[in-house]
Amino acid sequence: MSNVFSFLRPYKFPVFIALTLMLIELTVELIHPLLLAKIIDDGIMQEDLAAITRWGALMIGMSLLAFVSGVINSFYAAHVSQSTGFDLRSNLYKRIQTFSFTQLQRFQTSSLITRLTNDVTQIQNTIFMSLRIMLRAPLLIIGGTIMALFVNAKIALILVFMIPLIVLFLIWMMKKGGSLFSLVQAKLDGVNHVMRENLTAMRLVKVFVRHNYEGKRFKKSNEALMEKTVSALRLMEVAMPILLLLMNVGIMAILWFGSFEVNSGGAKVGEIVAIVNYATRITSALTVFSMIIIVFSRAKASAERIADVLDDDKSEMNIVKERQDPSLKIVGGEIKFDHVSFHYPDMKMNVLNDLSFTANQGETLAILGATGSGKSTLFQLIPKLYEVSEGQIVLDGNNIKTFEPEHLRRQIGYVPQEFFLISGTVKENIQWGHDEATLDEVIEAAKHAQIHDVIESLPNQYETKLGQKGVNLSGGQKQRLSIARALIRKPKVLLLDDSTSALDVKTEAEFLKALKNYTCTTLIVTQKLSTAMNADKIILLDDGQKVAEGNHEQLLQQSHLYQQIHQSQMREEVFQDV
């Protein structure tokens, strides 16, 4: 939590100004009862109009000073809270960008979104309210008690006795509230998770007519959030009536014993009024404490969740940093897997087992295998999205661990199975792969990806705006845009993860022909033999192990599994022709 509030350090001066102005307001509030006592004892009781005017004018002047201080304090409190929130959100975002895939598996996407939005907002509100009103409450209680002792120590002992009991009760409430609001934030993550899934898959929900099912999922998650929130707030709200009861008992005791003191000459009427005034102000400050408990409890829970992200030191930037050479570049693009095994974090079973093969410089290597055979996992190891569990990957003779992740990835073109398009123009989507690319380079990449003619037919061509996730394009068009994005980098290594699955035979053939314009080592994951046949070499995977390697003719002669795949796809083609 201290790590989160360390973001206040750059704003020490505005914080100092805000606190100073708040103390001026507090001082005025503490002096007012004394001035009121003077008006009563020196003015009203003595029937001295001049004294009433003098002390009354001083009260009005001090009230104006407090008003101006409050306005300026609000400005600085808002500046500090918004600036700190901006810094927190920026640092959280940057931190998440450095996360390895292992770290990303720790946090659900919906949870990270909640931490970036709701949790940061909780911290912002806490900072603003602390600088504006919340710090006044404890200071007013302490200052009011001291001033009451100064006015009449004997009567003020009633406050001295009661306030510590109330403070202990409030501390217990805050501790209990922190744990409850941690559960509330976790349930909010759940609501965001269900809502995000629903909105992402809205087309599927409509096609399968799953509105009722999704509605029940959301209702269940929403009810869980409501129950935890109500439970937390119910406990917090108990504080208010208990505080008021205790303080009202205290005020009645002050009035009761004060009347005896006035009658016996041990106290003046103005002193009793001043102490009652202080007790009333302390009561109002204590009522603010129920709000303070809620705000600080939520802030504590949010700060811990934010710190959980910020304090995670296993980011890509920290992994084996000492072994990385920033000067390393991909020169030729030769890739060698040397007895590589891999299992995902928190899993014991290997996804890849003792895998060895070599893709020579400029060679095209096709990777075939059934679903779950480890093809996509293999691709994720090359750009260091994960670290190998055993063995090593060698790139141009250098262990891939010695490459800086960001520097390595800038030289790799990667087209994943699930293509991703941003909400922007066609040109911006292609330039996402290389933001300094010219329009000519964008067009060249689009032509090689076989998408240029489609773009030319769009209303504004390369300036046509795409909907979220490219909703106004077909699957094949999205796939080709993703390919163009990878090609515009002119990569030394090109990874195509089943990236031609939505292309027809003619378009795919033209694309594979266009690939020859690029001097790069190409790895293609595919289920289609028509694609694999054009490769220099084919790797056949089964259950994470290499079961065959060679070109199309060699595998037809040597691999029984490859023969089965060939016969199966040939039958499908014959059936389609019929």
Side-chain angles (χ1 to χ4, degrees):
M1 190 169 173
S2 59
N3 184 22
V4 173
F5 286 99
S6 67
F7 283 84
L8 282 168
R9 285 175 191 157
Y11 307 103
K12 289 179 182 177
F13 183 65
V15 167
F16 172 76
I17 293 177
L19 291 176
T20 302
L21 293 169
M22 183 268 292
L23 288 173
I24 291 173
E25 282 187 284
L26 177 64
T27 302
V28 170
E29 194 166 358
L30 291 174
I31 291 175
H32 267 185
L34 289 179
L35 298 178
L36 185 61
K38 287 287 186 182
I39 290 173
I40 293 172
D41 291 334
D42 298 349
I44 296 174
M45 299 299 291
Q46 303 297 325
E47 297 183 355
D48 186 347
L49 183 61
I52 295 173
T53 304
R54 183 171 63 253
W55 295 116
L58 183 58
M59 283 185 72
I60 293 172
M62 293 185 71
S63 296
L64 288 174
L65 175 63
F67 171 75
V68 173
S69 298
V71 171
I72 301 174
N73 169 274
S74 294
F75 170 79
Y76 278 99
H79 167 66
V80 172
S81 65
Q82 292 299 320
S83 299
T84 304
F86 173 82
D87 292 345
L88 254 180
R89 204 174 289 113
S90 298
N91 277 270
L92 270 173
Y93 180 80
K94 289 176 183 176
R95 188 66 170 172
I96 293 167
Q97 297 305 305
T98 68
F99 272 8
S100 64
F101 268 43
T102 302
Q103 285 175 292
L104 287 171
Q105 287 180 336
R106 283 189 57 216
F107 305 97
Q108 288 186 343
T109 303
S110 57
S111 177
L112 291 174
I113 292 172
T114 304
R115 292 169 204 241
L116 275 162
T117 52
N118 184 272
D119 286 327
V120 172
T121 300
Q122 293 289 348
I123 301 298
Q124 281 181 299
N125 292 341
T126 302
I127 292 170
F128 176 79
M129 296 180 72
S130 295
L131 294 176
R132 184 68 194 98
I133 58 173
M134 287 199 302
L135 284 178
R136 283 177 60 191
L139 291 175
L140 182 58
I141 292 168
I142 296 169
T145 305
I146 293 171
M147 294 297 287
L149 288 168
F150 174 75
V151 172
N152 191 304
K154 190 175 180 181
I155 301 298
L157 284 174
I158 296 171
L159 292 178
V160 174
F161 173 74
M162 296 193 66
I163 288 174
L165 296 176
I166 294 172
V167 169
L168 288 173
F169 169 72
L170 290 172
I171 291 171
W172 177 83
M173 290 286 288
M174 189 174 294
K175 188 175 180 180
K176 186 73 174 175
S179 59
L180 286 173
F181 281 111
S182 293
L183 293 174
V184 169
Q185 294 302 92
K187 294 301 178 185
L188 181 60
D189 285 348
V191 170
N192 286 340
H193 177 67
V194 172
M195 187 166 60
R196 180 178 175 275
E197 280 189 339
N198 180 268
L199 294 175
T200 303
M202 185 55 72
R203 285 187 176 185
L204 214 56
V205 171
K206 289 182 179 294
V207 169
F208 280 85
V209 195
R210 301 296 286 171
H211 303 90
N212 291 337
Y213 174 80
E214 288 297 314
K216 288 175 183 176
R217 281 183 70 212
F218 182 79
K219 182 181 178 183
K220 182 179 178 181
S221 183
N222 199 21
E223 284 178 345
L225 172 62
M226 181 187 71
E227 288 170 4
K228 290 298 179 185
T229 304
V230 168
S231 177
L233 292 177
R234 187 181 291 131
L235 177 67
M236 296 298 102
E237 289 301 324
V238 169
M240 178 75 75
I242 293 176
L243 292 174
L244 287 175
L245 175 63
L246 291 173
M247 285 307 299
N248 284 329
V249 168
I251 291 172
M252 291 174 65
I254 290 169
L255 290 171
W256 176 266
F257 289 107
S259 64
F260 289 112
E261 287 296 310
V262 170
N263 292 332
S264 65
K268 297 179 180 179
V269 174
E271 291 176 349
I272 302 302
V273 171
I275 292 174
V276 170
N277 205 305
Y278 281 123
T280 304
R281 290 169 189 263
I282 290 171
T283 302
S284 66
L286 286 170
T287 58
V288 173
F289 256 98
S290 66
M291 177 190 68
I292 292 174
I293 292 169
I294 293 173
V295 171
F296 268 97
S297 296
R298 300 191 93 153
K300 181 175 180 291
S302 293
E304 287 171 353
R305 285 158 51 82
I306 291 171
D308 194 27
V309 175
L310 292 175
D311 294 344
D312 197 321
D313 60 354
K314 296 179 181 177
S315 68
E316 289 181 327
M317 301 306 167
N318 295 325
I319 295 175
V320 294
K321 187 89 175 180
E322 68 279 0
R323 290 182 281 165
Q324 294 173 359
D325 183 354
S327 66
L328 278 181
K329 293 182 179 180
I330 303 176
V331 179
E334 181 190 66
I335 301 171
K336 182 180 179 182
F337 273 59
D338 185 11
H339 299 285
V340 170
S341 294
F342 173 77
H343 61 81
Y344 286 102
D346 303 322
M347 290 181 63
K348 295 181 180 179
M349 186 175 65
N350 280 343
V351 181
L352 297 175
N353 285 292
D354 196 29
L355 183 61
S356 295
F357 68 84
T358 300
N360 296 315
Q361 177 180 337
E363 198 171 59
T364 298
L365 178 70
I367 302 170
L368 271 71
T371 302
S373 59
K375 304 184 299 296
S376 295
T377 299
L378 182 154
F379 268 25
Q380 292 179 28
L381 297 178
I382 295 173
K384 292 181 68 173
L385 299 181
Y386 289 100
E387 293 278 342
V388 300
S389 303
E390 295 177 29
Q392 62 177 350
I393 301 173
V394 180
L395 185 54
D396 285 342
N398 299 298
N399 190 320
I400 203 167
K401 289 184 177 180
T402 59
F403 285 83
E404 282 190 345
E406 186 174 323
H407 194 58
L408 171 70
R409 292 167 192 165
R410 289 186 186 278
Q411 303 170 76
I412 293 176
Y414 183 34
V415 185
Q417 270 184 319
E418 296 181 7
F419 28 81
F420 167 78
L421 298 178
I422 62 171
S423 298
T425 65
V426 171
K427 185 176 87 170
E428 287 169 343
N429 269 276
I430 296 176
Q431 284 180 324
W432 205 71
H434 178 32
D435 52 11
E436 295 180 1
T438 63
L439 179 59
D440 289 339
E441 290 174 318
V442 169
I443 293 172
E444 180 188 35
K447 285 180 177 178
H448 289 155
Q450 311 305 308
I451 191 66
H452 175 71
D453 292 341
V454 174
I455 297 171
E456 288 290 296
S457 67
L458 295 174
N460 297 310
Q461 299 178 341
Y462 282 86
E463 296 300 326
T464 301
K465 289 275 187 181
L466 300 181
Q468 190 178 28
K469 290 190 173 183
V471 70
N472 44 346
L473 296 178
S474 70
Q477 290 166 349
K478 293 177 191 176
Q479 202 166 58
R480 281 176 280 169
L481 268 182
S482 297
I483 292 170
R485 175 190 293 162
L487 294 180
I488 202 169
R489 311 188 88 163
K490 293 184 170 56
K492 293 295 184 181
V493 173
L494 180 62
L495 306 176
L496 304 173
D497 190 355
D498 208 13
S499 305
T500 61
S501 58
L503 305 186
D504 58 69
V505 176
K506 181 183 176 184
T507 304
E508 182 185 36
E510 290 174 349
F511 163 62
L512 293 174
K513 182 180 178 182
L515 269 184
K516 295 178 180 177
N517 293 300
Y518 295 83
T519 54
C520 64
T521 304
T522 305
L523 275 66
I524 305 176
V525 165
T526 182
Q527 299 288 353
K528 299 192 291 187
L529 286 187
S530 58
T531 305
M533 288 167 61
N534 290 287
D536 299 303
K537 192 190 300 180
I538 301 169
I539 299 289
L540 190 58
L541 294 182
D542 186 31
D543 198 22
Q545 294 180 314
K546 184 181 75 174
V547 294
E549 179 178 353
N551 58 35
H552 175 65
E553 288 77 16
Q554 290 171 336
L555 292 181
L556 272 180
Q557 295 176 3
Q558 300 170 5
S559 173
H560 178 65
L561 179 59
Y562 190 82
Q563 292 168 7
Q564 288 180 325
I565 296 172
H566 183 261
Q567 290 171 5
S568 173
Q569 293 198 15
M570 288 295 291
R571 281 197 300 269
E572 287 179 10
E573 290 177 11
V574 170
F575 179 76
Q576 289 172 358
D577 290 339
V578 173

